[in-house]
Every structure is written in C-alpha cells, then in structure tokens.
Amino acid sequence: MQTVNIGILGLGTVGGGTAQVLRDNAAEIARRLGRNVSVFMVSTRNVGKAFKVCPDALFTTDPFEVVAHPDVDIVVELFGGSETAKDLVLQAIENGKHVVTANKKLLAEHGNEIFALAAKKNVMVHFEAAVAGGIPIIKALREGMSANRIKSVAGIINGTSNFILTQMREQGQSFADALKLAQSLGYAEADPTFDIEGHDAGHKITIMSALAFGTPVNFGACYLEGISRLESRDIKYAEELGYRIKLLGITRQTEAGIELRVHPTLIPECRLLASVEGVMNAVRVDADMVGETLYYGAGAGALPTASAVVADIIDISRMIGADTANRVPYLAFRADNVREQPLLPMDDIVSSYYLRVRAADRAGVLGGIANLLAEQGISIEALIQKAVLDDNQAEIVILTHSTVERNIKAAINAINAHECVSAPVVMIRMESLAQTR
Amino acid sequence: MQTVNIGILGLGTVGGGTAQVLRDNAAEIARRLGRNVSVFMVSTRNVGKAFKVCPDALFTTDPFEVVAHPDVDIVVELFGGSETAKDLVLQAIENGKHVVTANKKLLAEHGNEIFALAAKKNVMVHFEAAVAGGIPIIKALREGMSANRIKSVAGIINGTSNFILTQMREQGQSFADALKLAQSLGYAEADPTFDIEGHDAGHKITIMSALAFGTPVNFGACYLEGISRLESRDIKYAEELGYRIKLLGITRQTEAGIELRVHPTLIPECRLLASVEGVMNAVRVDADMVGETLYYGAGAGALPTASAVVADIIDISRMIGADTANRVPYLAFRADNVREQPLLPMDDIVSSYYLRVRAADRAGVLGGIANLLAEQGISIEALIQKAVLDDNQAEIVILTHSTVERNIKAAINAINAHECVSAPVVMIRMESLAQTR
C-alpha cells in the first residue's frame, strides 16, 4: 500500500491531536483511503511529546527543514500566527508540497497570495480546521452547496465568546466574571482580545464569505465588534422579549454588495442557533435552492480540530496524482472566476435593532424618543419600559423594524442629545434568521 | 468549455427541480466547475413539462433509451420504486454511465449489487439526495468524518412523520387528524404507510449505517416501528417529563454488533434534535475524535432535493477522467474493506424505556409494578401517576434506566399479566443523545 508522508509544523494542542488521530485511527483511515498516512517529520520544541505521539517521525526544531524535506508530501501547518506561518506555507508550496492548515488568521489575511502561488505550483491547500473546528463546514460550503447561489452565512464561530454569553445568560454573571471563569477553564487566553473582540470570528467569516460568494478574502473589510461591552441586563431584557444574544459572524449577498460583519446579535429564541450553548459552534447557511441548512459541533479542542485536519489530509492523499481539473477549487470557485465584489460599508447594511435608552422617568419622554426614531423613518416593533432606577431614571428597551444602519445611527445621535436622556444609547443588531424560501 | 451530458430518468417533482436548478444556476455552477452541465436527454410522460424546464433536451417516453444513449455521461435516476429503477441503473452502469440517484429504497435494498457492478464497470454512483434531502449528510459521513471511528448516527429523517409528531404535540391533535392535515398539505401520500411505518426512515438509516461502519447495506435487518400507534397522551406525558417524542433512525456500533432501528423515541428536550420541527430533517453523528456533530435542513421538496442531486452531478463531472483511486469509495470504505458485521437483534439492544401502564387505582399496585421491573433488574429513573380515569383506573408513567430490551419485554409481559393492569403496557424507547467524549 502506498504511503503518504506528512510533515507537521508545530506539535501543540492541534498538532498533538493530529498525530494522535493518525496513530489511533490508522487502520480505519487506511480502510477508507487505501493508502497509509505516516507522520514522517515534525517540527517541535517538545521532543518528549513528539516521542510519545509519533515515535517513528523525524524531529527537528526548525520548521523550515520540514517544508524543505524532499520526502514530505503534505505539510500540515499548525504553527499559528501569520508571519512565520506565511513564510512556511509559501515555502512549502514553492517546494511543491500540498498544504493543510488550521490557520484562519493566515488565510483571512494572506489567503489570496497563498492560493495564487498554490495554483502556480499546482498544489492543494485545504483548511477545514480553520473554521468551526471539527464541523465540516468548509466542505459543505464548497461542495455540499455547489448547486446553489448562497445568500447568507451566519455562525456562532467563536467558542470562547459563546461560553461567556451562555454563562452571562444562564448564571447572570457579568462579562468580567464569565471571562475569568472561561480563563480558569482554559477556554480563554490570558489575553483574550482575539476571541472576545471578534477578530477570530472575523477571520472565519471572512473565509466563509469568500467561499460562499466566490470573492477573494478581504479581512480588512470585515466589521468587528466584540462582546466585551455587553451588559447582562441586555441579555436579560433580550430574553424577556424572546431573544438570545449571540456573537455572530454574518456575511450576506445583497444587490448593493456583500455584508461582512461580526457583532453581538439578538436572534429569536426559537431558532436552532439560539440553542447553541457553551463552547459549541454552529453555522447556518441560507441558499437559493436548498433553503436553510445548519451545521453544529465542537469548534475547538485538540481532537475535534484534528478530525478536520486529518479529513483534509485524507482528501489530499486521495487526490495525489489526479489532474488539477479534478480538484475542488481552493475557494469553491475556479480561480479565474473568483471576482471582487463591493463590500457594503456598515452604514449601508439593513438590519433591525435593539436599543436601550436611559432617560428621566417623565411624561413625554417616551413619545419624544419615538418621534426621533420616526423622523428617521424607523418604526417600532416592540417597546418595554423597565423598572425605574435610581434618581428617577427609567430604562426603555426598543426593538425596531428593519432600517438602514445610517438611519439608526442618526436616530441614536438625536436620542443621545435629548435633554432627558442620561446615558448613551446601547444598540445591538438583530437578525431574524427566518427562512427566505 | 467541456460539456457534461445529463440524462434524467423521470421528470416528476425532483426531476423537474433538478432541471430547474441546472437551468437557473447554470452560470454559478460553471463558475465552480469549469464545465457546462447540460440536460441532454429526459425520459418523461409529461412532454409539456419537459419543454418548459429543459426545452433543449431530447425527450423520450422510454427510460431505457436514456441509459443506452451513447452521448449521455451521467444518468440521473429519479424514477423511484425499486424494480424498474434497478434495471435502469444496472443497465446504465453496464453501459458505462455514471449514476446519480435519489432512490433510498433502491440503494437500501439493492445497493450491494449496484456498487459491485459499478466497481466492475469503473463508474461513479452518487446518492446524496437519497438521505435527508438537501442536507449534505452523505458527504459529511463519507468525507467530513473520515478521520473518525463513527460510534452512532441518529436522525429525524422522515419529514412526514416529524410533521405529524409536531402537530400532535403543538396542537394536541390525534395521530389520525394530524395525518389528514399532512395529506391535505401534500406532506403525506394517500397511502402513507411507507412514511409513517418507518420504511422510508429505515431505508435512509440503512444507507447511513453502511457508510458509517463500512458494512454492506442490509435493509432486511433493520427494525421498523412507525408512529401510527402513538397516542397524543404519550407525547404530553413525555413533555411533562422534559422529553419530546421523535421518530428516529438509529444505528450504533457496539462491541456485540451493530444496532439498526427505526422507532418513536423519547429524547431530552434540551437536545438540538428535539427542536427540529415540522417537515425539517436533522442527523446527529457521534464520532470518536470530533464528538457530536449535527446537520439540519430540508429533507424533501423539489428544490432542496435537487440541490443534492446537482451537487452529486457536479462532484461526478469534476472527477470524470480521474483515476479510480482518486475517487471517494461508494460506501466511504474501499470495496475490499467493506465487511459484514453482526447486526444486533432487538432483544439484545440496550436502551432506557418509557412505559405507560393502565391499572386499577388501588393500594399496592404501584409497588407491584415496581417489583416486576426489579425482578428483571430494571431500575426506575422517574415515575408519575396520572389523573385517575374512568372506572377507578389510573395511568402510571415510568422512565427506566438502561437495560437490555429482552429484560424490559419480560417485565412488560409480567406487568400485562398483573391482575390490576387493565390494558397492554405502552412502551417507547428513549435515547439520551448525550455527548460521549
């Protein structure tokens, strides 16, 4: 039986998991693939771990030795970050290696360059593990939905944030306390910025947007708003109104251009996405022929992520020797058909909104605020006035109907300037996630 | 650009949808595939419809002309049934055509013969649409999970039954009334046996079982129990206890063999599967490395099913000209590695159970029943005694802990023989669907 030689760059959590999956399920994989997959070489600073999980591999502390080794067929980049990783991946491609990577940052920021070189050097680059861990969402978007024009993708794609939001809702914890718990459980880094401010979700939705709509990756155009300023009162008010707040990555094809954004979002509690709790991930795809489909699973963790890495290794191994025309294109669309499309500025997106206004509890205030919304052509779907606070203040929670973001911002500016309003308006976007077929 | 010629057998709901998808999304498909897909020939008795959806195709009333036409590359079998369909598919394969089919009955009953001939004639056979309509679950099982040993698959894979169960729960309708509504909405056939007695779900779980565990298809060994005897009171009692009743197809690898069964099942209401309502489908896969993943979407309908058919057409079209070794095996595992495994008789499965007992409302009856369970080594997880009925009768609802089905049957026989028990015990199996990693 033919053997495919793997070179793994980085033997951390996912690298170790990958070696473990390839070892523990070697027989099952060979039963499917008809080829053996061997961890041939590994770059790591932890030789002890390497001995444990892949004792037969060559070890090196220099990852560039792996990408240069003539006997390596597939380079698995689990190095992380984007600068050295980029050099390693480009070097691997230059050397004619196929590449599997779980590096969302690398692909969202440098994917176009990487795919261009890969096309030139005629190698495969797979990245199932870069989005939503073990969920085969890249394959679903790239192959499962290939008969469709995809209309939108919306996902809970950062487990850290979803864990924090679940804690805030279920336990009534503050953001700070929930974050501390996430850190103590190993779900959040010491510096959690990347997860909680939406960067990680932004990288993932950027990749899915390119796959869905056949555009180059364009992370620079992705709007990022995290969960660090969310207050548990908003989660509670949303729940009273029948909604959950989730950090969503959203991308949508509209006539005017593509929406690409990450932000906390109110979604109706009856939607499946609303029931995705803790560190789990889920991605909802709306497409013209199939309608709504949803994919759920573990978005992180050594073995779930390794499951996706190894599925990519198997896919590539199976296609070694096939013609380029037989391959699924890197970004679902053939390179000559990948086209720039305008990305909508946030002012131009259409959404409905949750607003929380703190104002003096005085006759006429409510009407005044409603008028300021009406002046921007914004109609109100629901309004509740919440328990009076200190100093004769009340909180007014408003759900609006759909409007252009520019208008809601103008209305918010006007409300903030109202003499009875005592704190800046809190605004959270809403998505109905309704079936559109 | 190269053109791939499709021959469609049967221009009914899915056939019409397939032609529509290929027409309406032709540009998008070519952008992905780099080849044109043309509906070259169609067999139909409805030439009017054919003119409308694929005016450029050749028409014939004889499907055998399609499978024999030298210019047809891929035969799309949407004929339905299994006898003529089998002849057509075998003939197509014999003639060297690749095949796409949505025919779950055909594959569950004759898949082994079909795949054997296909291997001999070196053609591809794809069948994404045969299970769960537009959800790309075949691809997920066959490719997305390829790094895993799959442990179990459980799915809501019959929309008709799920619609009826949803109506019974949400509206308190009887089975008969819910079925009538389903028929009036076109969700159920005039003769609904195939859907409501579990045959359709059985075909689908049989196919998924083979894909998951690398065995031949073996529909004859699938246990089938439908929903026609379900009473709305059981749905209500289940709900009171925190459960929903769903018709599940279940297959599980155990040390003693493979479980393969379809039956109404209590599942905890907190599981995502419990929230899958109406005609929607969802499949939950539990695998050793990735853990739990779930796939949700439309399980039927012209366009969702056509979405899967056309995805298969695209996959095959892309692989025309590639070597056999480059293909994904028909049943996920390479033919020489597909192995018979023992299928567990129902008496040997392990499950927990919901029991409803009607008995005289008399002191000591409850204890007597509990003793009869204890005699079989069955412990009780929950027990509620329900409102007294006519004639001084009470209903006792019992949830048991896990036990071997043989034991629960023995206990039920003993309970039925109890002097105070006035009607046969109602038994419904339960599944916790808990994460096993």
Side-chain angles (χ1 to χ4, degrees):
Chain A
M1 196 153 44
Q2 196 187 335
T3 293
V4 178
N5 283 337
I6 308 299
I8 300 179
L9 310 179
L11 211 61
T13 307
V14 179
T18 298
Q20 184 187 332
V21 170
L22 287 171
R23 182 194 63 195
D24 292 356
N25 283 352
E28 188 86 345
I29 291 167
R31 260 184 89 195
R32 296 173 188 267
L33 178 60
R35 299 181 184 184
N36 285 318
V37 177
S38 160
V39 180
F40 176 81
M41 193 174 190
V42 166
S43 79
T44 178
R45 278 168 300 184
N46 186 343
V47 175
K49 182 174 183 181
F51 262 116
K52 212 174 127 197
V53 294
C54 40
D56 300 329
L58 300 175
F59 309 137
T60 170
T61 53
D62 179 7
F64 286 92
E65 278 188 24
V66 177
V67 304
H69 196 292
D71 291 340
V72 167
D73 301 304
I74 303 175
V75 166
V76 178
E77 187 277 303
L78 302 169
F79 205 77
S82 67
E83 291 319 313
T84 309
K86 183 185 166 195
D87 292 343
L88 286 165
V89 164
L90 291 176
Q91 198 65 62
I93 294 170
E94 197 64 64
N95 293 339
K97 314 296 184 198
H98 305 292
V99 171
V100 173
T101 176
N103 193 330
K104 54 224 75 163
K105 182 173 160 64
L106 174 69
L107 293 175
E109 296 179 355
H110 305 292
N112 302 326
E113 183 180 348
I114 289 167
F115 296 131
L117 185 65
K120 198 174 136 203
K121 303 300 292 187
N122 199 24
V123 299
M124 295 177 262
V125 177
H126 281 225
F127 49 92
E128 185 62 79
V131 179
I135 308 172
I137 182 63
I138 299 295
K139 187 172 281 281
L141 283 169
R142 206 179 49 190
E143 302 165 41
M145 300 290 106
S146 60
N148 293 264
R149 274 178 288 199
I150 293 172
K151 302 193 319 194
S152 69
V153 179
I156 295 172
I157 45 182
N158 181 267
T160 308
S161 299
N162 203 50
F163 175 83
I164 290 171
L165 293 176
T166 300
Q167 283 296 314
M168 288 175 76
R169 186 181 66 80
E170 289 184 353
Q171 313 296 331
Q173 284 186 323
S174 68
F175 171 80
D177 287 346
L179 171 59
K180 257 180 234 156
L181 178 63
Q183 286 171 321
S184 75
L185 293 169
Y187 295 153
E189 309 277 341
D191 176 359
T193 314
F194 196 70
D195 288 313
I196 64 173
E197 297 302 357
H199 299 88
D200 174 70
H203 288 140
K204 293 168 180 166
I205 195 68
T206 295
I207 294 169
M208 290 197 283
S209 183
L211 280 165
F213 307 126
T215 67
V217 291
N218 189 355
F219 177 63
C222 185
Y223 173 78
L224 300 181
E225 180 183 322
I227 61 169
S228 60
R229 285 175 305 156
L230 265 190
E231 295 183 42
S232 34
R233 53 155 39 77
D234 293 309
I235 292 174
K236 203 180 72 198
Y237 294 159
E239 200 168 11
E240 286 175 28
L241 290 157
Y243 292 83
R244 299 275 166 89
I245 299 182
K246 294 291 186 185
L247 182 71
L248 292 191
I250 299 170
T251 187
R252 178 177 285 128
Q253 176 86 68
T254 75
E255 284 192 21
I258 289 171
E259 298 180 3
L260 183 58
R261 47 193 169 104
V262 174
H263 50 70
T265 315
L266 270 76
I267 57 178
E269 64 187 4
C270 59
R271 305 292 181 229
L272 281 189
L273 270 185
S275 302
V276 174
E277 303 290 14
V279 294
M280 299 305 279
N281 279 201
V283 178
R284 174 191 189 270
V285 181
D286 190 15
D288 66 343
M289 296 301 173
V290 75
E292 174 187 16
T293 54
L294 181 136
Y295 309 84
Y296 167 89
L303 296 178
T305 309
S307 165
V309 168
V310 173
D312 279 350
I313 291 172
I314 293 169
D315 278 356
I316 290 180
S317 299
R318 188 179 280 123
M319 288 296 285
I320 289 178
D323 197 80
T324 313
N326 300 129
R327 296 178 190 161
V328 181
Y330 305 108
L331 287 175
F333 294 80
R334 287 166 60 90
D336 47 348
N337 294 319
V338 170
R339 297 183 199 125
E340 295 272 3
Q341 286 193 55
L343 273 142
L344 275 193
M346 283 302 283
D347 273 356
D348 291 348
I349 74 157
V350 173
S351 181
S352 48
Y353 297 87
Y354 163 103
L355 305 178
R356 174 163 56 82
V357 186
R358 181 169 300 185
D361 188 15
R362 202 185 296 167
V365 171
L366 248 171
I369 291 169
N371 282 342
L372 293 173
L373 288 165
E375 276 172 23
Q376 298 296 331
I378 300 165
S379 60
I380 292 172
E381 187 192 312
L383 185 150
I384 48 175
Q385 177 149 349
K386 297 305 300 182
V388 176
L389 307 165
D390 302 338
D391 301 330
N392 203 26
Q393 298 283 299
E395 282 196 317
I396 303 156
V397 174
I398 301 166
L399 305 186
T400 76
H401 283 292
S402 283
T403 183
V404 176
E405 181 134 327
R406 177 181 294 109
N407 293 353
I408 201 81
K409 284 184 180 161
I412 288 170
N413 285 339
I415 294 169
N416 283 340
H418 190 288
E419 54 172 356
C420 294
V421 170
S422 51
V425 171
V426 170
M427 178 269 268
I428 309 175
R429 295 172 190 86
M430 302 174 66
E431 286 286 325
S432 75
L433 302 177
Q435 275 277 34
T436 55
R437 297 186 47 242
Chain B
M1 197 152 45
Q2 196 187 334
T3 294
V4 179
N5 284 338
I6 308 299
I8 300 180
L9 311 179
L11 212 60
T13 307
V14 178
T18 299
Q20 184 187 332
V21 169
L22 287 171
R23 182 194 64 195
D24 292 355
N25 282 353
E28 189 85 346
I29 291 167
R31 261 185 88 194
R32 295 173 188 267
L33 179 60
R35 299 180 184 184
N36 284 318
V37 177
S38 161
V39 180
F40 175 82
M41 193 173 190
V42 166
S43 78
T44 177
R45 281 168 299 186
N46 186 343
V47 175
K49 182 174 183 181
F51 262 116
K52 212 174 125 198
V53 295
C54 41
D56 301 329
L58 300 174
F59 309 137
T60 171
T61 53
D62 179 7
F64 287 92
E65 279 188 23
V66 178
V67 305
H69 198 291
D71 292 339
V72 167
D73 301 305
I74 303 174
V75 167
V76 178
E77 187 277 304
L78 303 170
F79 206 77
S82 67
E83 291 319 312
T84 310
K86 182 185 166 194
D87 292 343
L88 286 164
V89 164
L90 291 176
Q91 199 64 62
I93 294 169
E94 197 63 65
N95 293 339
K97 314 296 186 198
H98 305 291
V99 172
V100 173
T101 177
N103 193 330
K104 55 223 73 164
K105 182 172 159 64
L106 174 67
L107 292 175
E109 295 179 356
H110 306 291
N112 302 326
E113 183 180 349
I114 289 167
F115 296 130
L117 185 65
K120 197 173 138 204
K121 303 299 291 189
N122 199 24
V123 299
M124 294 176 263
V125 178
H126 281 224
F127 48 92
E128 184 62 79
V131 179
I135 308 173
I137 181 64
I138 300 294
K139 188 173 278 283
L141 283 169
R142 206 178 48 191
E143 301 165 40
M145 299 290 106
S146 59
N148 294 264
R149 273 179 289 199
I150 293 172
K151 303 194 315 195
S152 70
V153 179
I156 295 171
I157 46 182
N158 181 266
T160 307
S161 299
N162 203 50
F163 175 83
I164 291 171
L165 293 177
T166 301
Q167 283 296 314
M168 289 174 75
R169 186 181 66 80
E170 289 183 353
Q171 314 295 332
Q173 283 185 324
S174 68
F175 171 79
D177 288 347
L179 171 59
K180 259 180 231 155
L181 178 64
Q183 285 170 323
S184 74
L185 292 170
Y187 295 153
E189 310 278 340
D191 176 0
T193 314
F194 196 70
D195 287 315
I196 65 173
E197 298 302 357
H199 299 88
D200 175 71
H203 288 141
K204 293 167 181 168
I205 196 69
T206 295
I207 295 169
M208 289 197 284
S209 182
L211 281 164
F213 307 127
T215 68
V217 291
N218 188 356
F219 177 64
C222 185
Y223 173 79
L224 301 181
E225 180 184 322
I227 61 169
S228 60
R229 286 175 305 157
L230 264 190
E231 295 183 43
S232 34
R233 51 156 39 80
D234 293 310
I235 292 175
K236 204 180 71 197
Y237 294 160
E239 200 167 11
E240 286 174 29
L241 289 158
Y243 292 82
R244 300 275 167 86
I245 299 183
K246 295 292 187 184
L247 182 71
L248 293 191
I250 299 171
T251 187
R252 177 177 286 128
Q253 176 86 69
T254 74
E255 282 191 22
I258 289 171
E259 298 180 4
L260 181 59
R261 47 194 169 103
V262 174
H263 50 71
T265 315
L266 270 76
I267 57 178
E269 65 187 3
C270 60
R271 305 292 180 229
L272 281 188
L273 272 185
S275 302
V276 173
E277 303 289 14
V279 295
M280 300 303 282
N281 279 201
V283 178
R284 174 191 189 270
V285 181
D286 190 15
D288 67 343
M289 296 300 173
V290 74
E292 174 187 16
T293 55
L294 181 138
Y295 310 84
Y296 167 90
L303 296 179
T305 310
S307 164
V309 168
V310 174
D312 278 350
I313 292 173
I314 293 169
D315 278 357
I316 289 180
S317 299
R318 189 181 279 125
M319 287 297 284
I320 289 177
D323 196 81
T324 313
N326 301 129
R327 296 178 190 161
V328 181
Y330 304 108
L331 286 174
F333 294 79
R334 288 166 60 91
D336 46 349
N337 295 319
V338 170
R339 296 183 200 127
E340 295 272 4
Q341 286 193 55
L343 272 142
L344 275 194
M346 282 303 281
D347 273 355
D348 292 348
I349 74 157
V350 173
S351 179
S352 47
Y353 296 87
Y354 163 103
L355 305 178
R356 173 163 57 82
V357 185
R358 182 169 300 185
D361 188 15
R362 201 185 296 166
V365 171
L366 247 170
I369 292 169
N371 282 342
L372 293 173
L373 288 165
E375 277 172 22
Q376 297 297 331
I378 299 165
S379 59
I380 292 172
E381 187 191 314
L383 185 151
I384 48 174
Q385 177 150 349
K386 297 304 302 182
V388 175
L389 307 166
D390 302 338
D391 300 330
N392 202 27
Q393 297 283 299
E395 281 195 317
I396 302 156
V397 174
I398 300 167
L399 305 185
T400 76
H401 283 292
S402 284
T403 182
V404 176
E405 181 135 327
R406 177 181 293 110
N407 293 352
I408 200 81
K409 284 183 181 162
I412 288 170
N413 285 339
I415 295 169
N416 283 340
H418 189 289
E419 56 172 354
C420 294
V421 170
S422 51
V425 171
V426 170
M427 179 269 268
I428 309 174
R429 295 172 190 86
M430 303 175 64
E431 285 286 327
S432 75
L433 302 176
Q435 275 277 34
T436 55
R437 294 187 48 243

